[in-house]
Amino acid sequence: MISVTVPVYNEAEALPILAERVTTVLGQIGQPWELIFINDGSLDGSEEVLDGLAEKNPAIKVVHFRRNYGQTAAMMAGFDFAQGDVIIPMDGDLQNDPSDIPRMLAKLDEGFDVCSGWRKDRQDNALQRNIPSIMANRLISFVSGVELHDFGCSLKAYRADVIKSVRLYGEMHRFLPIYAYWHGAKITEVTVNHFARTTGHSKYGLERVLKVLADLLVVKFLDSYAEKPMYVFGAVGLLSFFVSFMAGGSAVYLKLFAHKSFIETPLPLLCVMSALTGIMCFLMGLLAEMIMRTFYESQGKNVYSVRSMRNIEPAAVKPERVAAAY
């Protein structure tokens, strides 16, 4: 079964056209399907339009949020409510082309778990959207190790078993392929069509670049140190202690051999501040280690994920490990 999920925020004019295009393409594939719209607190009449579409076609499903929570929350809700074996998120502004869906499904049939869209000929403002996007995509690929040309393209195809366990917060939806990669997913990409916006207006501006950079720091931390946070806090603590030692030693040297009073230089203050910073970093590292262990142990989570098992009876494995395997 194929589930197409569409976050919606003030796209009333585009919704009937999008629904018609998606249902036409899915109807030609010859597999069971559902189209799920997540209304992210729209104020332009999108709610009434969506309810009308759902009334006409039971395969069209609608979830209305109480208020605007953002695109990441809407995408997460789409994954939660989707019942398909393959989940395909896409934008509701008519800039994505539903006719690209069959080619993405073909890639999954080749053995891939994620197929990402690449808007090679992107129809957006070059200065405000395209150039910052190119730079951000290269930076994300470099930091994450996942080589994709277009992390920001919403049109992607995921196998449900690699995306259902992912939880997203903030504005992390653009990093979904990275999260899937952490779960062992095989990732590829295909060039997809991209149309100029004809209805509504964009919800993003240049401020999005700063958010991407901040989120990228979080992703890098989660990727490398989520299970060993003391490595980060401990390293900063050791550096602080080194600075404290050097500053204190320099202050003593100047006192003994250059006859400079401690109050004539900022070195004693730097020594004390660096020492306090080092102590706090070590304490925060210990606290982070305790939180990490509580996170895994209180919920029965494992620090690994099993793809499949051979010659092992499920009854011989703890329930949480069986859940991780399937």
Side-chain angles (χ1 to χ4, degrees), residues 231-243:
Y231 288 8
V232 175
F233 294 103
V236 176
L238 289 174
L239 178 61
S240 297
F241 282 131
F242 176 76
V243 172

Side-chain angles (χ1 to χ4, degrees), residues 31 80 82 90 105 122 139 147 155 170 176 181 193-195 213 219 231 236 238 251-252 271 309 316 319:
Q31 297 180 15
D80 290 340
M90 64 184 302
L105 294 175
R122 186 171 176 177
L139 179 61
E147 297 291 336
L155 183 58
L176 269 170
Y181 177 76
N193 298 316
H194 190 249
F195 304 129
L213 294 177
V219 169
Y231 288 8
V236 176
L238 289 174
V252 172
C271 174
M309 298 184 293

Side-chain angles (χ1 to χ4, degrees), residues 131-150:
I131 295 177
S133 177
I134 292 173
M135 297 173 62
N137 285 316
R138 290 179 179 177
L139 179 61
I140 295 171
S141 294
F142 174 77
V143 172
S144 68
V146 179
E147 297 291 336
L148 290 178
H149 291 88
D150 193 356

